[in-house]
Amino acid sequence: MLAPASVSDYRLLARRKLPRMLFDYLDGGAFSEHTLAENRRAFEQWCFRQRVMTDVSRIDTSATLLGTAATMPLVMAPMGLAGMLARRGEVQAAAAGARANIPFCLSTVGICSVEEVARDVPDANRWFQLYVLKDRGFSEEMLARAWQAGFKTLVFTVDLARLGLRYRDVRNGMNGNLSLPAKVRKVLDLLGHPRWLADVAIGGKPLTFGNLASVVPSGRKPEDFKAWVESQFDPSVTWNDLDWIRQHWPGKLVIKGIMEVDDARSALKVGADAVVVSNHGGRQLDGAPASLSMLPAISAEVAGQCQVLVDGGVQTGQDVVRALCLGADGCLVGRPWGYALAAGGQSAVENLFHTIRLEIELTLSLMGKTSISQLGRSDLLSLAEVQAMSGLAV
């Protein structure tokens, strides 16, 4: 391959470069991964209306996300352990987001801390993601640290009352509890990726959970993360418990993990500035519908009251355009930037975003549009509508 041209290309390169355990953590979903696949299929159910003989010499892809201008309606989704994909991975990813002028969201369980990202990428549009945790004292401390470091938007993830069962992680030992032969195979796999070992495992130290140093001081292995997660994720939390977030967070609030209209209404009641229609990339409730399928109803319910973002299966600029037509104000993209980061670091992520922006521009042009603000449901045809127009039976 001379030059990667698509997310599929970056995925292939990431698969070659990463140890199996890390690639499957990035690539996989929960249970049998039906929802993971459905997220992609949902985008394939929509066709663009092609329009011609319109002046499309100037195309505007810009958007305003949570009050801040961006070059396109895209946010880098939070990704745990991104610092295991490339040397100081979250810093490289944030720098790529800053170059592309789109927000970067740092995960609670990133390798790099909020302070490190803020220090090394001072000009980034920084968002911070937090889970629902039992230790409210630590949560308050973490919110204060993020705010002090210049993270002005909080993405509060509400769909992890329990951690989804991810078969690939079990098979590859991400959860620990390996037999001796399995441990030997794991070591051999690591040794079979010398570039990753040199660049990340050795050159990227310390490989600890930067934000969790005070509560997971031994956090050097995936098993440490899993143990902390199991002890801290709170399955008893309800919407009534979220008032403390607004008490301790003065910035913008995004509620991520909304898949029902009723939950979108509840998010508004706790003061959400935006909701993310999300099934956690197919990593939680396998068998749930695609995020895109739930987007139109949720958008119709909360339109004008808060922004609506969507994630799950977003890979291309054309996916972004489809989502905007169906009611989204913007999209979160996760795995694609993870693949690119693993494949080639910051420069590869920058190239990915250049490609996505070009795809948005070209798609708008061929639809006869000059701005994302012009997009609506009438600019798409469902497969059923196409069949009906062609006279074929549905």
Side-chain angles (χ1 to χ4, degrees):
M1 185 186 301
L2 296 179
S6 67
V7 170
S8 296
D9 294 340
Y10 284 117
R11 181 181 181 276
L12 177 61
L13 293 173
R15 186 169 189 170
R16 292 173 180 171
K17 189 170 182 180
L18 292 174
R20 176 68 178 270
M21 175 179 68
L22 287 176
F23 176 77
D24 278 353
Y25 172 79
L26 168 63
D27 191 62
F31 295 102
S32 300
E33 302 187 348
H34 294 303
T35 296
L36 175 65
E38 190 62 28
N39 277 341
R40 282 302 306 152
R41 282 194 293 266
F43 285 95
E44 298 167 1
Q45 304 304 306
W46 296 97
C47 301
F48 299 109
R49 284 185 178 272
Q50 178 176 309
R51 302 303 300 269
V52 299
M53 300 304 290
T54 300
D55 182 358
V56 290
S57 56
R58 295 185 179 182
I59 303 295
D60 181 12
T61 66
S62 65
T64 300
L65 300 171
L66 280 298
T68 301
T71 56
M72 54 183 164
L74 198 68
V75 178
M76 297 177 71
M79 184 181 301
L81 308 184
M84 299 291 286
L85 305 179
R87 182 187 301 194
R88 312 314 293 171
E90 289 89 2
V91 169
Q92 291 198 61
R99 289 290 297 272
N101 192 24
I102 60 173
F104 166 77
C105 186
L106 178 66
S107 170
T108 298
V109 292
I111 299 300
C112 301
S113 67
V114 290
E115 291 85 2
E116 181 180 354
V117 171
R119 181 192 68 226
D120 292 353
V121 195
D123 298 326
N125 181 359
R126 298 185 292 267
W127 297 14
F128 179 68
Q129 175 267 334
L130 185 68
Y131 300 106
V132 180
L133 305 177
K134 292 179 181 178
D135 189 342
R136 299 299 165 82
F138 170 74
S139 296
E140 293 172 20
E141 174 189 332
M142 194 67 252
L143 291 175
R145 286 175 57 193
W147 182 258
Q148 184 66 31
F151 290 75
K152 302 306 181 185
T153 297
L154 176 68
V155 176
F156 198 62
T157 300
V158 296
D159 59 359
L160 275 102
R162 298 280 299 276
L163 188 65
L165 180 58
R166 301 159 191 175
Y167 290 158
R168 293 203 219 182
D169 290 350
V170 175
R171 297 182 186 113
N172 293 320
M174 285 290 285
N175 299 336
N177 302 319
L178 290 178
S179 65
L180 181 58
K183 289 180 180 178
V184 172
R185 289 193 296 271
K186 180 177 177 180
V187 170
L188 291 176
D189 182 43
L190 293 174
L191 294 175
H193 295 82
R195 291 175 59 195
W196 178 86
L197 280 173
D199 184 46
V200 183
I202 298 174
K205 292 181 178 179
L207 296 181
T208 58
F209 302 108
N211 293 319
L212 308 180
S214 65
V215 289
V216 194
S218 62
R220 296 181 179 275
K221 303 185 297 297
E223 298 96 296
D224 298 327
F225 161 65
K226 179 175 182 291
W228 181 81
V229 164
E230 289 182 342
S231 68
Q232 282 300 321
F233 283 12
D234 191 350
S236 69
V237 72
T238 69
W239 289 107
N240 295 328
D241 297 308
L242 264 60
D243 288 342
W244 66 270
I245 282 288
R246 268 304 181 201
Q247 295 172 12
H248 297 94
W249 183 253
K252 299 292 187 180
L253 175 62
V254 179
I255 303 295
K256 179 175 179 288
I258 301 301
M259 287 287 286
E260 293 288 340
V261 168
D262 285 347
D263 287 336
R265 294 192 193 104
S266 296
L268 285 176
K269 291 179 182 178
V270 299
D273 298 292
V275 297
V276 183
V277 182
S278 172
N279 56 33
H280 214 96
R283 295 168 69 84
Q284 282 297 103
L285 179 59
D286 197 32
S291 302
L292 190 73
S293 300
M294 307 306 293
L295 169 64
I298 293 173
S299 176
E301 177 65 25
V302 302
Q305 301 176 76
C306 72
Q307 287 198 305
V308 179
L309 309 175
V310 64
D311 74 1
V314 180
Q315 293 190 354
T316 70
Q318 291 202 316
D319 295 337
V320 174
V321 173
R322 288 184 174 98
L324 297 181
C325 289
L326 292 173
D329 295 295
C331 297
L332 274 67
V333 60
R335 288 184 182 89
W337 75 255
Y339 297 140
L341 181 68
Q346 177 182 339
S347 62
V349 180
E350 289 179 17
N351 185 65
L352 170 70
F353 291 143
H354 173 77
T355 298
I356 291 176
R357 186 177 181 184
L358 178 60
E359 290 167 345
I360 295 174
E361 290 179 353
L362 291 174
T363 302
L364 289 175
S365 297
L366 297 175
M367 295 172 70
K369 306 292 184 180
T370 59
S371 169
I372 62 172
S373 64
Q374 299 171 350
L375 295 171
R377 170 63 180 84
S378 61
D379 296 309
L380 296 181
L381 290 170
S382 68
L383 290 183
E385 290 168 336
V386 172
Q387 291 173 329
M389 292 172 68
S390 65
L392 298 176
V394 178

